[in-house]
Amino acid sequence: MIRFAWRATALALLLSTGLPTLAREAAPACDRACLYAHVDRYLAAVEQGTPAGLDLAPDFRATENGVPVAPGEGLWQTTDGYSSYQARAADVAAGQVAVLGEVKEAGKTVGYATRLKIVAGRIAEAETVIGRSFAPQHPSMPTEVRAGLRTIVPKRERLSRAEMIALADRNFDNMLRNKGDHFAPDCQRIENRMPMSGNPQLAYPITPIPGKPLPHFGSMSCQAQVEAHLFDTLDKVEPRRTLVVDEEQQVLFGVFSLRFYGRTECNDIPGYGRTCPAKLRGPMSLLSGEMLGVRGGKVREVELIFTRLPYEAGQGWAP
C-alpha cells in the first residue's frame, strides 16, 4: 500500500510539472536554422552545377518558371553564382522555406525566387521563378533587403497564420478593385529588384496622353498607385498559392499567376484620363514568386520576382 501511494504521488508530481507540455513544445524536426541550412546547401549545389551530396527525396520534383526540370538541369547549368542579396522566409509548421535574391548568368544579374519543401530531412520539392524577362539595372535598386523582410516580430504584434493568409488574398482582391487601404503608409513594392513605388528616380512605364504630362507614378505609395488605376489591365490572379507563412517574421511567400490584357490594355486614371499603349501587346501572364511583409495588420513589404508567360500558362504545380 505504501509503495502504491508513493508511485501515485510521483506520477501526480510528474504530471503537475508540465511534462506533457514539454513534450508538445519539443523542438520540431526542422526548425528555422535547419530550413535555412537546406537553402544554403541547395544554392551551393546549384552554383557548383551538381546535385551530388544533396539529400533529395526519392520522389524529388522541381520546376523553373513552371517547367519541370531534373536535378542538374536548367539554372544548374547556367548560373555563375549568387549575390549576397537575399530575403528568406521559413514555415516550420509546413516544412517549407523560401529565398528571393539575385543570380548571375552570362555576366548578367537576374532575380530569382526559390521555394523548398523538406520532408523527413530531405528536399522533396524545389520551385524556382527566374526573372529573365525583366532584368533591370538602375541606380535606385537597393543593395540590402528591407528590414521588414528580415526581422523577428514581437509576439504581441503578430497576426495569426490565418489572418496573414487572409491579408494576402485581400491584397490581390483589392488590386482588382483599385483599392489600396490594406497597404501600410511606408509600403514599398519591388519587382525583379526594381523599386516600383516610392521611387522618385523611376519613370513609370505607362503611355502618356499626347500633350499631357503623366503624374509621377513612380514616387507614389503602394496605396496611391493602386487607387490611381495602374492595375486596370489586371484581369485576375489565379492560381494563388500561398506556400510559406513565416509567423515569426510576419512574411508570406507564394507563387501567383497575374493575368493581364485579356480584357483591356488601357488605364482609366482618375483626374488624368484614359491612356492606352501605342502598340497592343496581347494577353499575357506574370508568374510571380512573391514575398509579402505584414505589420500592424497591413502589407508593408511587397517584393517579387516575375517572368512573362502566355496568358493561360500553368505553374507546374497543383493549385
Side-chain angles (χ1 to χ4, degrees):
M1 177 67 70
I2 294 175
R3 181 177 299 175
F4 175 79
W6 181 87
R7 287 177 178 173
T9 302
L11 178 60
L13 181 61
L14 283 172
L15 292 174
S16 68
T17 61
L19 185 60
T21 300
L22 290 176
R24 286 197 302 269
E25 295 179 355
C30 193
D31 60 11
R32 179 181 301 276
C34 168
L35 290 169
Y36 282 0
H38 277 289
V39 167
D40 291 337
R41 289 192 291 270
Y42 186 84
L43 296 184
V46 174
E47 186 171 355
Q48 293 163 9
T50 174
L54 272 185
D55 199 358
L56 302 179
D59 57 349
F60 171 77
R61 184 167 179 268
T63 62
E64 286 184 12
N65 290 349
V67 178
V69 291
E73 295 182 353
L75 190 60
W76 299 72
Q77 299 176 346
T78 61
T79 181
D80 299 322
Y82 295 88
S83 80
S84 60
Y85 185 95
Q86 284 190 3
R88 296 185 175 199
D91 189 334
V92 175
Q96 302 210 70
V97 61
V99 57
L100 181 153
E102 293 177 324
V103 63
K104 302 170 186 175
E105 288 186 309
K108 296 181 179 180
T109 301
V110 298
Y112 77 94
T114 292
R115 171 190 65 88
L116 302 180
K117 182 174 183 178
I118 311 303
V119 178
R122 294 180 173 183
I123 301 175
E125 297 176 1
E127 180 176 15
T128 298
V129 178
I130 308 171
R132 296 187 185 102
S133 61
F134 176 58
Q137 300 296 320
H138 196 273
S140 66
M141 293 170 67
T143 58
E144 293 185 352
V145 173
R146 278 170 56 98
L149 293 178
R150 52 183 172 86
T151 303
I152 300 297
V153 177
K155 285 187 178 181
R156 65 183 181 278
E157 299 176 16
R158 298 176 191 170
L159 295 185
S160 69
R161 186 183 190 90
E163 289 170 331
M164 291 175 68
I165 294 171
L167 185 55
D169 262 338
R170 184 182 169 203
N171 171 66
F172 293 115
D173 289 341
N174 276 4
M175 288 172 64
L176 292 165
R177 298 169 183 156
N178 300 311
K179 291 179 61 178
D181 59 357
H182 65 289
F183 289 117
D186 57 348
C187 165
Q188 186 166 47
R189 192 174 90 256
I190 300 176
E191 300 180 358
N192 289 22
R193 298 276 294 104
M194 180 71 183
M196 299 298 292
S197 68
N199 184 0
Q201 299 182 58
L202 173 66
Y204 202 90
I206 196 165
T207 305
I209 297 173
K212 196 171 184 180
L214 278 173
H216 204 287
F217 296 118
S219 296
M220 290 182 179
S221 66
C222 296
Q223 177 172 352
Q225 286 185 341
V226 170
E227 293 177 354
H229 289 231
L230 296 190
F231 292 90
D232 275 354
T233 56
L234 178 60
D235 301 329
K236 57 185 177 179
V237 183
E238 295 175 4
R240 304 178 188 181
R241 296 168 52 236
T242 299
L243 299 159
V244 178
V245 182
D246 189 330
E247 297 179 67
E248 291 184 322
Q249 291 192 142
Q250 292 286 280
V251 173
L252 304 100
F253 173 85
V255 179
F256 310 99
S257 293
L258 288 76
R259 315 293 184 176
F260 284 90
Y261 310 138
R263 174 178 45 83
T264 182
E265 296 197 24
C266 300
N267 299 80
D268 291 298
I269 299 168
Y272 182 73
R274 185 176 179 83
T275 172
C276 304
K279 183 178 180 180
L280 297 180
R281 289 158 285 200
M284 64 95 176
S285 70
L286 299 182
L287 179 65
S288 175
E290 186 161 341
M291 284 191 180
L292 299 177
V294 178
R295 293 293 187 278
K298 303 277 188 177
V299 173
R300 185 180 179 189
E301 316 289 344
V302 182
E303 183 147 6
L304 58 104
I305 303 298
F306 72 78
T307 190
R308 294 186 181 95
L309 293 176
Y311 189 81
E312 294 292 350
Q315 296 183 353
W317 302 84

